Amino acid sequence: MSSLIEAIEIWKSFGKVEAVRGVSFRLEAGQVHGLLGPNGSGKTTSLKCIVGLLKPDKGTVTIFGEKPSANNGYRRKLGYVPENPSLPDYLTVEEFLIFSARLKGLVGDSVRSRVSELMEAYALHQVSDRLVYELSKGVRQRLAIAASLVSSPTVLILDEPFNGLDPEAQKITRLYINEIIEDGGGVLISTHLLDSAEKICNHVTIIVDGKVLCSSSLSELKSKNGGASLEEIFLSLIRVKKAAN
Amino acid sequence: MKVRQFAGSLGRSLSKAVAPMMFYMLYLFVLMLVSLTLRFYGIVTGMDLDDFVRALKPLATSGVLAVGVFLGLKGGVTALGYEIDYIFTSNVRPRTYLWSDFLFQFIFLNVFTLPSMLLIVTVLTYPRHLIHLFNFVMIVEAAVVSSILISHMLGLLRNWLGKRGVMAVGGVMLMLVLLPLLDVFASLPWVSSFPYPTNLLLGVTGGGLKTSAAFLLIGGLLAVNLFLSRKVEYAGLAPILTNVFTDPPRKLITSFKLPQPVARFLLINAADRPTALLVKAHLTRFLRDGSLWITAFVLLLLVYVGTALPRALAFTAQPEAIFLTIVSLYTPMIPALLSFNWLLTEKHNLWLVQLSVYRVSSYFYTLLIAYTIVSLIFSSLMVAAVQVFGGLFALTYLDVLLFLCSAVFGSFLALVISSSIKRFSSPFSFTSIFIVVLPLLGSQLLSLPLLVSRLFEPIATNPPAFLPYLVMGYVLFALALVTYSTRDFSIEQAS
């Protein structure tokens, strides 16, 4: 069975800055895959290359076994929340969720029922008539995550999803992540919040300076490091890397 | 620093400096061509071009003052977000900041008004231009200084009168400064002797009492500003944060309600077909982010000024033709200004479409439809207004085609230009001029065959048999080309 997502040796530069330098990893069904790394390590650029918002200079990305450029059918099954998501300020909360559902190809009654369910889950029904412009940062983040879940995606990609998210919304998001995993999907999360990553992820890839430092299951990584916490492992790996440089 | 934040990028490379300069020269070149056309028209009709200069003075002065009132109603002080974060929290005194903003606005307004005014006057009156130039420099400078003082004064007055009070004061001031236009349309003889701001400033080089009155006005405005700013704190300033074309949607949506059928029509619902869904989303954005209303306001002002000038000069042979031509010429400005706002408020939301099941080209195609719909509605309303208030006249098929072409070509060019701009950080940058003026010029160029036919009276009213077919053929070909070009529109979002 092919991987849900496979990135092979992807490179991306912006002018003279090489943001991603040969990153490779896989997202398999049943994985909650944490993409970890310090600020500016290339996590966000890697994710943008994977979802198709950026075209890698070199390397290949396949989603559900196909290249993103081959067709756009995969987008229906893909949910994505960018870092600091930019949302249409001029729509109301409910309109935006309906709009997102329609953009993902959902039609008919399924749109209404899914939108209602997500508004209820993320406590957005109280602000359903409010413009996105009027929302606080936390509520915007809740809305962005709800919108990414509207098409019941098989693959969910979240870039720093817990920024500004309250514990209740974090818990709800974890429940939806579990639902995706139970249905045979996979979740890719980029974060530098190692506590959250340790709670959610069962697989991690650590990126430093645009390169993969290590990629393995969390349990394997921990047992190799004598049961140390993810934070301790991460910091020691960074120290070793710095010393090698 | 305020000048540097808008023009600082010019020093980064030769191309960044040359491109805006070339564009600025193009802007002056177009003004020169317009002035030359007027001069030749004047020679042919035996008109005294000094009359033109005399008519231009109050209109130009009022125009500059109107900009000040308009900015004042928006907050009066220009600022970018980081100025609020870093300068408003620093130990720089608010008065110092206001003074720097005064100098910034002075430079910015002068760049756009003084050279263009001097060029127009020189072309129109050469070789007697020197008589007028000094006079014009003084009047323009007096108007620019007063305009900024008015803008700051209205901004500061918010602390005393609140926003509603400022709107009332600003409204009265706007009516006062636009009196010369009223005079042009309604022929009010008392206007030329009425001591309102434009008249007072026009007397700046008049000597004696007239000069004193002009300086008294400027001094009065300065004194009011000094008084209002003596204890002002940053918390009391409401700067124009992003641009003058965008209002916070919350205020608009609460203060403005669409008629029920329109609101129902625009409501995004689950049963919409993809094209309808995206067109509705675009139209909703125009209405809710305020771009449409501000665009319509600016445009109405331009059309009003544009039609006032020919009347002031007694170009009355075909008043409706002049009006219709001006409406069609300014119509491309609607999509241009809307695309300006698209860059500011919507482009960064493109990721939603890029990750949707729709193609990005569908998004742009529907944006073209939305721009065209709004432009055509505007043209139709303007024509209807002329029919009602200016007396009925028959529209020729050329008028209808001209409106259609102006709307479609303007929309298409606005789309091409705005989508090809990778980075657009500041609404006050030189790039803004490209976005607004290029669709205007390009659309006029593409509509030229129609415009020429419309302006030649015998052709317009008594066309040769082949003309309708020729014109229709041209329009259909051009429209097909536009539609075809938007098919493969794509964009790669800059990181």
Side-chain angles (χ1 to χ4, degrees):
Chain A
M1 197 181 127
S2 65
S3 308
L4 295 173
I5 291 177
E6 187 166 17
I8 306 167
E9 277 288 310
I10 52 171
W11 290 72
K12 182 71 190 174
S13 302
F14 300 103
K16 288 176 184 168
V17 180
E18 286 184 326
V20 175
R21 303 189 291 168
V23 165
S24 302
F25 64 88
R26 287 173 174 199
L27 175 71
E28 307 287 354
Q31 263 186 9
V32 182
H33 195 132
L35 203 57
L36 315 177
N39 293 334
S41 56
K43 303 188 294 289
T44 295
T45 306
S46 299
L47 289 189
K48 281 188 174 177
C49 288
I50 287 163
V51 297
L53 288 177
L54 288 175
K55 199 176 167 189
D57 300 332
K58 273 192 281 181
T60 53
V61 174
T62 55
I63 301 181
F64 306 118
E66 286 188 67
K67 286 187 179 177
S69 54
N71 70 64
N72 55 12
Y74 75 93
R75 294 176 186 168
R76 188 189 296 256
K77 296 186 279 179
L78 179 76
Y80 172 62
V81 179
E83 188 181 12
N84 302 320
S86 164
L87 308 174
D89 284 343
Y90 51 88
L91 294 179
T92 65
V93 167
E94 189 173 9
E95 282 172 348
F96 173 59
L97 286 173
I98 293 172
F99 186 62
S100 300
R102 295 289 289 113
L103 286 181
K104 289 290 181 187
L106 263 66
V107 285
D109 294 339
S110 60
V111 175
R112 285 260 165 231
S113 57
R114 183 65 174 167
V115 165
S116 298
E117 179 203 324
L118 286 165
M119 284 208 296
E120 189 72 33
Y122 279 93
L124 293 167
H125 51 285
Q126 300 133 338
V127 290
S128 63
D129 289 336
R130 297 261 287 273
L131 292 174
V132 173
Y133 166 82
E134 298 175 276
L135 305 178
S136 67
K137 189 186 174 197
V139 181
R140 279 178 80 100
Q141 188 69 5
R142 272 194 267 153
L143 178 62
I145 294 176
S148 73
L149 292 165
V150 79
S151 62
S152 306
T154 308
V155 168
L156 182 64
I157 298 180
L158 306 167
D159 194 353
E160 302 289 358
F162 304 119
N163 281 350
L165 210 59
D166 61 37
E168 180 69 27
Q170 287 192 27
K171 190 179 157 195
I172 300 292
T173 305
R174 280 200 293 271
L175 290 176
Y176 274 107
I177 286 173
N178 288 339
E179 204 174 90
I180 291 171
I181 298 303
E182 282 165 16
D183 291 346
V187 179
L188 185 58
I189 301 176
S190 153
T191 183
H192 55 252
L193 299 177
L194 299 174
D195 284 353
S196 302
E198 195 165 2
K199 271 188 209 163
I200 303 171
C201 302
N202 52 25
H203 201 101
V204 292
T205 293
I206 297 176
I207 300 183
V208 179
D209 295 336
K211 285 182 175 175
V212 174
L213 203 59
C214 80
S215 186
S216 83
S217 75
L218 187 60
S219 54
E220 200 180 306
L221 190 68
K222 282 184 147 189
S223 66
K224 267 188 197 170
N225 288 274
S229 71
L230 184 57
E231 187 179 13
E232 287 165 343
I233 298 167
F234 179 83
L235 290 173
S236 75
L237 282 170
I238 298 287
R239 267 197 299 273
V240 171
K241 169 81 180 165
K242 275 186 183 166
N245 286 344
Chain B
M1 191 200 88
K2 283 187 78 77
V3 174
R4 198 171 174 181
Q5 70 194 0
F6 294 110
S9 63
L10 302 183
R12 273 195 220 143
S13 68
L14 191 65
S15 64
K16 278 191 190 298
V18 169
M21 201 50 76
M22 291 284 287
F23 192 71
Y24 188 69
M25 298 309 286
L26 180 71
Y27 161 72
L28 291 179
F29 180 68
V30 170
L31 281 179
M32 192 181 77
L33 284 183
V34 172
S35 309
L36 271 175
T37 313
L38 281 169
R39 181 165 183 152
F40 286 130
Y41 191 93
I43 291 168
V44 170
T45 57
M47 202 179 98
D48 182 3
L49 285 167
D50 283 353
D51 282 348
F52 184 92
V53 175
R54 271 190 283 278
L56 189 64
K57 274 184 201 169
L59 292 174
T61 310
S62 284
V64 175
L65 291 179
V67 169
V69 178
F70 184 67
L71 290 179
L73 290 174
K74 290 275 177 183
V77 183
T78 59
L80 294 179
Y82 69 83
E83 289 180 67
I84 292 179
D85 293 341
Y86 296 106
I87 299 175
F88 283 26
T89 53
S90 73
N91 56 1
V92 174
R93 291 191 318 148
R95 258 195 180 179
T96 312
Y97 182 78
L98 283 173
W99 173 234
S100 72
D101 186 59
F102 178 92
L103 290 176
F104 164 70
Q105 287 198 41
F106 182 77
I107 294 167
F108 201 77
L109 276 174
N110 261 308
V111 166
F112 288 100
T113 53
L114 195 62
S116 50
M117 283 292 159
L118 297 185
L119 181 76
I120 292 171
V121 173
T122 306
V123 173
L124 283 174
T125 60
Y126 187 84
R128 291 170 291 107
H129 59 293
L130 289 176
I131 308 165
H132 297 285
L133 284 185
F134 173 70
N135 202 351
F136 250 85
V137 170
M138 292 302 289
I139 289 170
V140 169
E141 290 312 317
V144 164
V145 169
S146 306
S147 170
I148 305 165
L149 288 173
I150 288 172
S151 127
H152 276 190
M153 183 185 78
L154 288 174
L156 291 167
L157 265 178
R158 283 185 185 222
N159 294 316
W160 274 263
L161 304 178
K163 200 181 171 191
R164 284 190 175 186
V166 170
M167 292 298 277
V169 173
V172 172
M173 292 189 83
L174 199 61
M175 278 195 278
L176 266 179
V177 300
L178 293 177
L179 267 179
L181 298 177
L182 198 65
D183 179 31
V184 164
F185 278 95
S187 298
L188 307 169
W190 53 270
V191 167
S192 56
S193 55
F194 185 69
Y196 69 103
T198 305
N199 257 355
L200 294 176
L201 293 174
L202 286 174
V204 72
T205 52
L209 209 61
K210 284 184 174 176
T211 307
S212 308
F215 279 106
L216 202 66
L217 174 70
I218 297 170
L221 286 171
L222 186 65
V224 173
N225 266 282
L226 288 174
F227 175 78
L228 293 176
S229 65
R230 74 194 194 287
K231 276 187 183 171
V232 71
E233 288 176 11
Y234 281 123
L237 297 179
I240 305 162
L241 264 182
T242 48
N243 67 85
V244 291
F245 302 118
T246 309
D247 262 336
R250 181 182 1 194
K251 284 173 190 162
L252 260 153
I253 202 162
T254 49
S255 61
F256 181 84
K257 295 282 179 210
L258 286 170
Q260 201 57 35
V262 181
R264 209 176 305 129
F265 171 75
L266 287 178
L267 194 70
I268 286 171
N269 64 60
D272 286 332
R273 295 181 70 82
T275 306
L277 177 85
L278 290 172
V279 171
K280 278 182 180 184
H282 297 312
L283 293 175
T284 304
R285 178 169 61 82
F286 299 160
L287 288 163
R288 287 192 186 156
D289 76 1
S291 40
L292 191 62
W293 308 110
I294 306 302
T295 303
F297 175 77
V298 171
L299 211 56
L300 277 172
L301 202 70
L302 282 173
V303 171
Y304 189 47
V305 173
T307 48
L309 204 59
R311 277 170 184 260
L313 297 166
F315 282 21
T316 49
Q318 279 178 284
E320 83 281 357
I322 289 168
F323 180 80
L324 292 170
T325 308
I326 285 174
V327 171
S328 68
L329 292 184
Y330 283 146
T331 299
M333 213 172 201
I334 291 191
L337 292 174
L338 291 175
S339 66
F340 187 91
N341 262 13
W342 179 82
L343 278 165
L344 281 169
T345 63
E346 181 65 0
K347 189 182 176 185
H348 45 253
N349 292 330
L350 260 182
W351 67 274
L352 287 164
V353 181
Q354 286 175 289
L355 295 182
S356 76
V357 294
Y358 303 141
R359 294 192 321 159
V360 175
S361 58
S362 308
Y363 171 88
F364 283 113
Y365 182 64
T366 54
L367 190 57
L368 177 72
I369 294 174
Y371 283 164
T372 309
I373 288 172
V374 172
S375 306
L376 284 174
I377 289 174
F378 172 79
S379 315
S380 311
L381 286 176
M382 291 303 293
V383 173
V386 173
Q387 294 273 359
V388 172
F389 299 111
L392 289 174
F393 60 87
L395 282 175
T396 68
Y397 74 99
L398 280 173
D399 294 326
V400 177
L401 286 178
L402 190 58
F403 294 150
L404 182 69
C405 283
S406 305
V408 176
F409 295 150
S411 302
F412 175 67
L413 290 167
L415 200 64
V416 171
I417 292 159
S418 57
S419 61
S420 61
I421 291 170
K422 281 210 163 179
R423 283 180 194 276
F424 182 63
S425 52
S426 162
F428 298 107
S429 65
F430 281 94
T431 316
S432 309
I433 310 167
F434 275 99
I435 300 160
V436 175
V437 181
L438 277 186
L440 204 68
L441 296 178
S443 165
Q444 286 173 18
L445 205 64
L446 288 167
S447 307
L448 209 57
L450 290 161
L451 201 60
V452 169
S453 309
R454 180 62 183 90
L455 286 180
F456 281 94
E457 173 56 18
I459 296 178
T461 50
N462 190 17
F466 65 88
L467 188 71
Y469 300 107
L470 198 68
V471 168
M472 284 297 282
Y474 172 73
V475 171
L476 287 175
F477 172 72
L479 293 182
L481 205 64
V482 165
T483 313
Y484 181 78
S485 309
T486 46
R487 255 179 17 138
D488 293 321
F489 239 95
S490 65
I491 194 161
E492 191 190 353
Q493 196 171 327
S495 173

